[in-house]
Amino acid sequence: MNFIKRAFLSTKAKKGRSFLLLLVFSVILIFVLAGITIQSASNKATEEARKSMGGSVTLAVDREKTLQKPTENTDSSSAEDEGGKRPDPGSYQSTPVDLEAAKKIAALDHVASYNFISTTSAGAESFDPITSTDTTDTTSEESTNQGGPGGSEEGGNPFGKGNAQGDLSVMGILSTETLSGFTDGTNKLVEGEAITEKDKDQNVVLLEQSLAEANSLSVGDKVTISNPTDSTKTYELTIQGIYTTTASDDAMASNFSFLNASNQLYVPYTFANTLKGDTYANAVDSVVYQLDDPENVANFVKAAEKTG
């Protein structure tokens, strides 16, 4: 223990140098601790920011596989596709996502929330959609000149057989509370209630404020819309809420009213499926899964693929 005594005496004898060394070591220690604290806070902030941004995964049908290729070779020797085959232009099939498969994936780890998406169009029966002069003129001209499917003179759908155009764009969802348009601030509910899972199988709708004001409609009123493929089929909906939107109109909105952001209706996915027909009885167009952390996206996708 003699060296400890000598060190103490040396420190006591050289107070100035000892104080200076103590000060230097203290400053170094403070900077080290400050660096560790800043790094820890930075990592925590990064993690919180990453989680707040969230990570989303969309389940939808592979579009490439919806274009069927014929089994026989084409006659064209210039065909560059594999095996001399090419997709049949009339073979496109819209295949919905099965709800049972979607719910099985929703039960996997790291799923914070999920939303069903089913989109279609509809005709406005008891009210007027937001339109422009161009839209009205174009619609009138098409009705007069083009007529029905294939341009017949008997009236009908000017967009060809099997296609439908309504006055309104209809989006069926499980909940507007987790829909990107409402979570990112593009849309904002100003009156009434949001659509949630409890509204499944209910004929309720959210209307955009401009559309509601133009038709003197308010929460609790009823509106009637028609089926996009059969205008004789009509449905009565109760206005559950009114929202505002800052979404930009599509460039073609002046020609087609259903592309106008004010003509966007939000309904429960079950009602949208009713408009779409029996094929969508237990299916939707897509499912969006919001994960608890973007870092878990890769593992979630692998787990989802294993469900088959």
Side-chain angles (χ1 to χ4, degrees), residues 228-251:
T229 58
D230 185 356
S231 60
T232 63
K233 294 182 179 179
T234 59
Y235 311 87
E236 190 176 70
L237 298 170
T238 300
I239 301 175
Q240 180 163 300
I242 294 175
Y243 72 95
T244 58
T245 184
T246 57
S248 300
D249 287 333
D250 188 280

Side-chain angles (χ1 to χ4, degrees), residues 12 32 42-43 51 56 99 131 139 176 194 211 242 253-254 268 286 290 302:
K12 186 177 180 181
V32 171
S42 177
N43 291 338
K51 289 183 177 180
S56 64
L99 282 180
T131 60
T139 303
T176 52
L211 179 63
I242 294 175
S254 59
S286 62
Q290 293 294 337
K302 290 181 181 178

Side-chain angles (χ1 to χ4, degrees), residues 21 31 36 44 63 65 70 72 91 97 101-102 115 127 135 142 196 200 251 272 274 276 278-279 281 307:
L21 288 174
F31 277 121
I36 294 174
K44 185 66 175 178
R63 186 181 182 280
K65 294 182 179 179
E72 69 278 1
S91 67
V97 175
N115 213 336
F127 61 100
T135 307
E142 287 172 345
T196 61
K200 176 185 175 183
T274 299
K276 292 168 79 71
D278 295 338
T279 306
T307 65

Side-chain angles (χ1 to χ4, degrees), residues 69-75 83-86 88:
K69 289 188 176 182
T71 55
E72 69 278 1
N73 289 340
T74 61
D75 295 333
K85 299 177 182 179
R86 63 185 180 190
D88 179 3

Side-chain angles (χ1 to χ4, degrees), residues 90-113:
S91 67
Y92 178 82
Q93 294 182 349
S94 178
T95 306
V97 175
D98 182 70
L99 282 180
E100 292 303 317
K103 291 177 181 178
K104 185 184 297 185
I105 294 175
L108 297 175
D109 293 337
H110 307 302
V111 177
S113 64

